[in-house]
Amino acid sequence: MTRWLALALVLAGCAAQHDSPSTESGTITGNIGDARNRARIHTDLAAAYYERGSMGVALEELRTATAADDSYAPAYGLFGLVYTELREKPLAETSFERALRLAPNDPDINHNYGWFLCQNGRERDSIRYFLQAVRNPLYAAPWRSYSAAGVCSLRADNRKDAEDFFQRALKLEPDESTSLLRLGDIRYRQGNVGEARKLIARYNKLAAPSAESLWLALRIERKLGERVAEQSYANQLRRRFPASAEYQAFLKGQYE
């Protein structure tokens, strides 16, 4: 999960926002208010620094937030993301777990903890947190968690569940790019080349083509006997990603 998406999820998990304080000097100006409001403001500041890549300052803001209100779950959720970025895995896990003890139904914290588990070799454990996230009727972006559950199911070699999760994501958000790409690959492997073609074509219109998406599109066109289209994708793969594993496979004729 990219940092900007994690940041969006953190901010979505915060309660109604108040006027943002100035951050230019790293200090707060304006009315601070009660303890919960102070915790919220400092967590928002930490999120801004996290997004900039200033992890040390983000940690200081989070420590201030939790000193103001040690029951403010979004602060611990963001601690988890910052420690993840710093590769402090035990601290990240402890932070996520504390956040969930305080707010067990928070969809954004559940999603982020699920992704943390998936990225650390615990793909099967991650699924229940994604599913807990989508159970919350107030969750603004449940397709993100369905898509993440699909990715982690694939990593756990569970293609059947992955297919179901990607379909759920696309039912809620037809332009969810990860699900388009991954479901396209599943359909190709199933021999449903026509549907795979539609999915990957949509992906390449919505997102910047990747080596993976171009390689899949190339193989689809090859299966269909569309040599002109196949060559077009080959040219793009060579031009954009000449050092990729996909282009090397193309040069060796290793299509499957």
Side-chain angles (χ1 to χ4, degrees):
M1 180 173 58
T2 59
R3 190 183 300 157
W4 70 264
L5 177 54
L7 174 65
L9 292 174
V10 168
L11 294 178
C14 295
Q17 301 298 307
H18 290 236
D19 291 340
S20 298
S22 170
T23 63
E24 291 301 315
S25 65
T27 61
I28 293 179
T29 61
N31 184 28
I32 300 300
D34 59 16
R36 175 53 57 94
N37 194 41
R38 291 199 302 275
R40 181 184 298 115
I41 289 172
H42 283 286
T43 300
D44 290 348
L45 280 170
Y49 284 115
Y50 169 80
E51 192 269 340
R52 296 176 193 172
S54 300
M55 300 302 159
V57 184
L59 284 176
E60 288 303 315
E61 293 294 346
L62 289 171
R63 291 181 185 120
T64 303
T66 53
D69 183 350
D70 65 1
S71 66
Y72 189 55
Y76 294 103
L78 185 52
F79 260 128
L81 292 173
V82 173
Y83 282 131
T84 298
E85 194 73 18
L86 294 173
R87 300 185 181 181
E88 296 281 358
K89 294 179 185 179
L91 290 173
E93 183 157 18
T94 298
S95 299
F96 282 129
E97 289 175 344
R98 182 163 185 177
L100 285 173
R101 284 197 299 272
L102 293 167
N105 297 317
D106 185 291
D108 306 303
I109 297 172
N110 274 285
H111 176 97
N112 288 336
Y113 185 44
W115 191 245
F116 168 83
L117 293 174
C118 182
Q119 294 294 93
N120 286 282
R122 295 163 64 185
E123 296 87 354
R124 295 183 189 278
D125 293 337
S126 74
I127 303 302
R128 75 182 185 96
Y129 293 96
F130 296 129
L131 295 182
Q132 180 67 15
V134 301
R135 289 189 187 100
N136 190 319
L138 300 180
Y139 189 17
W143 56 87
R144 291 173 182 157
S145 292
Y146 278 129
S147 179
V151 170
C152 298
S153 294
L154 281 179
R155 293 182 182 181
D157 201 27
N158 187 344
R159 191 172 296 171
K160 182 177 182 298
D161 282 355
E163 178 181 359
D164 179 61
F165 288 136
F166 292 137
Q167 288 175 319
R168 293 189 193 189
L170 291 172
K171 185 175 181 180
L172 293 170
E173 175 47 77
D175 291 343
E176 208 292 306
S177 58
T178 298
S179 296
L180 288 168
L181 177 60
R182 300 301 182 193
L183 187 58
D185 184 69
I186 289 171
R187 291 288 181 259
Y188 175 79
R189 294 174 186 275
Q190 291 172 337
N192 191 342
V193 183
E195 186 175 353
R197 188 189 207 187
K198 291 178 183 177
L199 289 163
I200 197 61
R202 188 170 185 82
Y203 172 90
N204 282 326
K205 287 180 181 178
L206 293 169
S210 62
E212 184 179 4
S213 71
L214 292 171
W215 180 231
L216 177 57
L218 183 157
R219 289 180 293 152
I220 288 170
E221 299 301 332
R222 181 178 176 82
K223 283 275 189 183
L224 293 171
E226 298 290 346
R227 299 307 181 200
V228 173
E230 177 190 348
Q231 188 59 50
S232 174
Y233 285 119
N235 290 340
Q236 291 185 63
L237 189 60
R238 174 182 53 79
R239 186 174 68 253
R240 292 171 180 258
F241 307 103
S244 66
E246 289 83 358
Y247 185 61
Q248 300 309 307
F250 168 74
L251 292 177
K252 295 174 183 176
Q254 297 173 346
Y255 294 99
E256 301 301 334

